[in-house]
Amino acid sequence: MYRNLFFIIVYLLTASFLQAENTEPEFIFTCQPYLQQLSDTEVTIVWGTNKNAVSWVEVAPDDSRNFYATERPKFFDTNFGRKKIGTLHKIRITGLSPATTYRYRIYSKEVTRKAHRDVRYGRIIANNIHKGKPYMFSTLNPDKQNIHFAVVNDIHEDVKRYENLFHAVDSASLDFMLLNGDMVNKMDSVEQMYRGFINTSSQLFAKSLPFYMVRGNHETRGNCSEEYINLFPSPTQQPYYSFTYGPIYFIVLDGGEDKPDSDIEYNDLADFDKYRTEQVEWLKQTVNSEEYKKAAIHIALIHVPPLGKTWHGILEVQSKFIPVLNEADIHLMLCGHIHRHEYYATGESICKFPLLINSNRHILDIRSDSKKININMINERGTVEKQFTFNIKD
């Protein structure tokens, strides 16, 4: 009797173990790759997996040879000389040639155990280049003078509206996208960010074209808000940064939250007043740099506008950022936040430059060279509702 009971227990334990093993989720990509910080010589590629992994990218020039023709250079996600293990993979590829198209393939190798002298691996997953095409991107051409980009903001995880707005422009000629804040309601998890707009961005364009992220006040909220800079890396390792594309120098500012730091909503964790003050010092250095001064056009981007309600965040943007920008030869400022369109020409506000606030129902389709900025404000149906032209004085 006891012997039979023993075998029954062994059988049940084995069956339970096998069932648990069979229900273990498959190792998969949870986020498809998206391009960040593209320049003439480098790019950062970001993606996600559902389990811890070591990841890398293989890169090949876009020539007549098969991707499998030779061993391709591998770029790993590393830190201080060690390959990183995690579920968010952020790989910087350097040493590229300007104005050149490259093919790439992403890899992730599952890490099933990590101990000091015992690291074990599981499956390797990668995008299929045998049956499908490799992903591709092109580095910037430093001499390019005509650029085409588009701006959306305040999507708040409405991916259908995001898709409609993107398809309303001539996406085939876009150089990049600008996402001007509040793309989600709050950052509760990395997976929510993927669902909220990143995977949609990847499906629409971001495997091949970069997007530049401007942090909105809703991206400052949630249990995952500290992951912002890992999801959207920048040259400063801060949500504020600058970049040059063609004749335009872009300044990306972070207005932070819109209420006082002491507001009950922030649970005594907010310190945005000091953060904005520190940002001003960076801004002063930026607008006094030689790279900034030699650029033909200067565009400032910030989610929270310097006009509208007398909320604390708006007043902070007014008092801290605008005095610096008013002396910095800004040609245009683009904002969001208020979910409606407003436009102020030079002299119609406290700003000594045009201020365009985009609604959450329109996409700004922008084409520019060194002499002119042309903007079409387009709705979800593809109808151009307003047009703006800004002539750049020598």
Side-chain angles (χ1 to χ4, degrees):
M1 173 178 155
Y2 290 108
R3 184 180 179 186
N4 290 339
L5 181 60
F6 171 77
F7 283 117
I8 291 171
I9 293 172
V10 170
Y11 171 80
L12 291 174
L13 289 173
T14 303
S16 176
F17 173 78
L18 290 173
Q19 184 179 12
E21 191 176 52
N22 291 334
T23 58
E24 181 72 18
E26 183 181 5
F27 179 49
I28 59 170
F29 294 123
T30 52
C31 180
Q32 292 299 310
Y34 58 99
L35 304 184
Q36 296 284 280
Q37 298 302 306
L38 179 70
S39 75
D40 56 345
T41 59
E42 66 178 64
V43 68
T44 298
I45 302 176
V46 188
W47 71 90
T49 55
N50 64 331
K51 299 180 183 181
N52 283 334
V54 169
S55 291
W56 67 94
V57 176
E58 290 184 357
V59 178
D62 183 29
D63 54 25
S64 59
R65 303 179 73 196
N66 192 284
F67 200 94
Y68 289 117
T70 186
E71 188 82 13
R72 301 301 184 180
K74 294 178 174 62
F75 295 84
F76 287 87
D77 191 3
T78 63
N79 192 35
F80 304 123
R82 287 179 61 91
K83 296 174 185 176
K84 292 167 66 175
I85 298 173
T87 57
L88 177 62
H89 313 287
K90 180 180 60 177
I91 297 180
R92 182 179 173 221
I93 299 169
T94 60
L96 304 175
S97 298
T100 302
T101 300
Y102 291 90
R103 298 170 290 171
Y104 72 96
R105 190 181 193 188
I106 63 170
Y107 290 81
S108 290
K109 181 165 65 172
E110 182 187 0
V111 176
T112 59
R113 174 180 168 83
K114 181 181 180 293
H116 174 53
R117 295 183 179 179
D118 185 10
V119 178
R120 301 180 188 179
Y121 300 101
R123 292 183 60 222
I124 298 176
I125 54 177
N127 59 298
N128 191 329
I129 61 169
H130 185 60
K131 294 182 179 179
K133 293 182 178 180
Y135 302 140
M136 302 176 75
F137 66 86
S138 297
T139 52
L140 270 59
N141 180 354
D143 299 322
K144 185 173 184 178
Q145 291 301 305
N146 295 282
I147 67 171
H148 179 203
F149 63 98
V151 183
V152 296
N153 49 269
D154 299 281
I155 296 299
H156 289 283
E157 304 179 42
D158 188 340
V159 294
K160 185 60 179 176
R161 180 169 13 119
Y162 184 25
E163 291 174 357
N164 291 341
L165 289 172
F166 180 80
H167 289 307
V169 303
D170 177 18
S171 58
S173 65
L174 282 173
D175 291 301
F176 60 91
M177 286 286 294
L178 277 167
L179 310 183
N180 203 355
D182 283 8
M183 296 299 290
V184 294
N185 295 314
K186 57 181 176 178
M187 290 183 60
D188 272 340
S189 68
V190 170
E191 290 71 27
Q192 177 212 358
M193 298 295 286
Y194 297 158
R195 295 191 305 271
F197 74 97
I198 295 177
N199 266 331
T200 300
S201 299
S202 181
Q203 291 162 7
L204 292 173
F205 65 89
K207 293 185 182 76
S208 300
L209 293 177
F211 65 80
Y212 294 88
M213 187 73 182
V214 183
R215 189 166 77 151
N217 58 299
H218 280 263
E219 279 91 30
T220 70
R221 304 174 185 176
N223 294 328
C224 188
S225 59
E226 292 84 358
E227 284 294 305
Y228 182 91
I229 205 61
N230 291 320
L231 288 162
F232 314 113
S234 81
T236 62
Q237 286 303 298
Q238 296 286 338
Y240 55 86
Y241 59 97
S242 64
F243 67 98
T244 301
Y245 207 115
I248 304 180
Y249 192 106
F250 294 89
I251 297 175
V252 177
L253 294 168
D254 183 6
E257 268 293 4
D258 54 4
K259 304 175 189 66
D261 288 343
S262 59
D263 190 275
I264 190 172
E265 187 171 348
Y266 308 141
N267 298 298
D268 202 27
L269 294 176
D271 196 16
F272 289 103
D273 287 358
K274 180 182 176 183
Y275 170 70
R276 282 183 287 254
T277 299
E278 293 169 347
Q279 195 175 160
V280 170
E281 295 308 308
W282 169 84
L283 179 59
K284 289 177 180 178
Q285 294 176 17
T286 298
V287 299
N288 284 310
S289 67
E290 288 303 313
E291 184 181 11
Y292 180 85
K293 291 177 181 178
K294 72 181 183 182
I297 300 176
H298 307 131
I299 294 180
L301 298 143
I302 188 169
H303 176 73
V304 176
L307 301 174
K309 297 178 181 179
T310 55
W311 285 36
H312 181 72
I314 292 174
L315 296 176
E316 282 273 290
V317 171
Q318 284 182 15
S319 64
K320 293 181 176 178
F321 297 151
I322 297 305
V324 179
L325 296 174
N326 273 342
E327 304 303 318
D329 192 29
I330 296 293
H331 297 102
L332 177 65
M333 174 178 270
L334 298 173
C335 302
H337 187 59
I338 62 175
H339 292 205
R340 67 181 183 275
H341 163 76
E342 288 188 6
Y343 172 67
Y344 301 88
T346 303
E348 293 182 351
S349 73
I350 61 171
C351 301
K352 295 180 181 180
F353 45 80
L355 171 65
L356 177 55
I357 304 174
N358 189 38
S359 84
N360 62 335
R361 296 282 177 178
H362 295 88
I363 185 168
L364 301 179
D365 188 37
I366 304 178
R367 298 174 187 266
S368 178
D369 57 24
S370 60
K371 300 294 184 181
K372 185 181 294 184
I373 305 171
N374 291 315
I375 302 179
N376 288 332
M377 190 181 84
I378 306 174
N379 63 26
E380 291 181 69
R381 299 181 301 278
T383 304
V384 177
E385 293 192 3
K386 291 183 181 293
Q387 293 181 301
F388 304 88
T389 297
F390 304 97
N391 293 306
I392 310 303
K393 298 179 181 179
D394 292 329

